Amino acid sequence: MNKFIICGQPRAGKTTVLNAIRDSGINACQFEPFWIESRTKTNVSCSYYDHVAFSSSVLNQFDGFEIVLGHTQQLQEICNANNAGLIAVRRRDLYVHIASYIMLLVGWAGGRNRNLCWNEDLIKKIPFFNHHIDKIIYNNWLIDNVIPTYKTYVLTIEYENMSDSSDLLSTYLGKRIELVNHPPADLSHYFTNPDNFISDIDQRLEQLHGQ
């Protein structure tokens, strides 16, 4: 069995891919070992801060795991040291990704039809909002331009078209993995006033891009 690491951003589909892999019978770690609240669940003797050694200990127990981009500065070294194929997951729809990420930040993740009103009261609940947007854009840039240059890179799975990657993922892992497309998300699933949300995000993108 080829070892693997799934990387991506929150609310981009990493766990969906991991669950599909686990459903095939592959021994994938069911939690994110680099997440602070989860890392003590692993049976390791090394320091949590020795990320290469820590990842090796995890991969001695499992065939693979998922990690949020930014939870380590040594992703390439981790993959190389463990000969672990790197599988990236990303969303193409920036507005929906930001909206879904907001639900996570304000404690409403895990479903649609939230019927929130996009206004100043909600925005105040998201400290450093522009920073979060900038981080999403930068990590997408890494997935598109840097991660594919890694020696053990396997593929990038797009949230909106997951089934397109089933064959390549199955070939790498040596077992049939059925990735299923999600119904298209619409901003009206999150906000009662999606046009206001889009307008606000567009203004923030102009600020971030120096326009």
Side-chain angles (χ1 to χ4, degrees), residues 20 37 45 56 62 70 88 101 119 126 139 152 155 157 168 170 209:
E37 288 79 5
S45 58
S56 296
F62 302 99
Y101 190 63
N119 54 30
I126 314 169
N139 283 334
T152 66
L155 80 160
I157 299 171
L168 185 54
S170 299
H209 297 157

Side-chain angles (χ1 to χ4, degrees), residues 115-134:
N115 296 319
L116 298 179
C117 180
W118 185 252
N119 54 30
E120 288 300 323
D121 289 336
L122 181 57
I123 293 171
K124 288 177 182 177
K125 297 179 180 180
I126 314 169
F128 308 107
F129 184 32
N130 281 7
H131 168 75
H132 290 293
I133 296 173
D134 191 59

Side-chain angles (χ1 to χ4, degrees), residues 2 24 28 53 55 74 92 105 116 127-128 131 147 165 168 172 181 184 188 195 203:
N2 288 325
S24 75
S55 66
Q74 297 177 278
R92 288 289 170 187
L105 294 176
L116 298 179
F128 308 107
H131 168 75
I147 285 177
S165 299
L168 185 54
Y172 176 73
N181 291 338
S188 62
D195 289 342
Q203 292 180 30

Side-chain angles (χ1 to χ4, degrees), residues 57-77:
S57 295
V58 174
L59 289 172
N60 282 335
Q61 302 169 57
F62 302 99
D63 294 320
F65 62 84
E66 63 175 304
I67 186 171
V68 173
L69 282 175
H71 280 191
T72 182
Q73 304 301 314
Q74 297 177 278
L75 184 58
Q76 187 171 18
E77 293 94 326

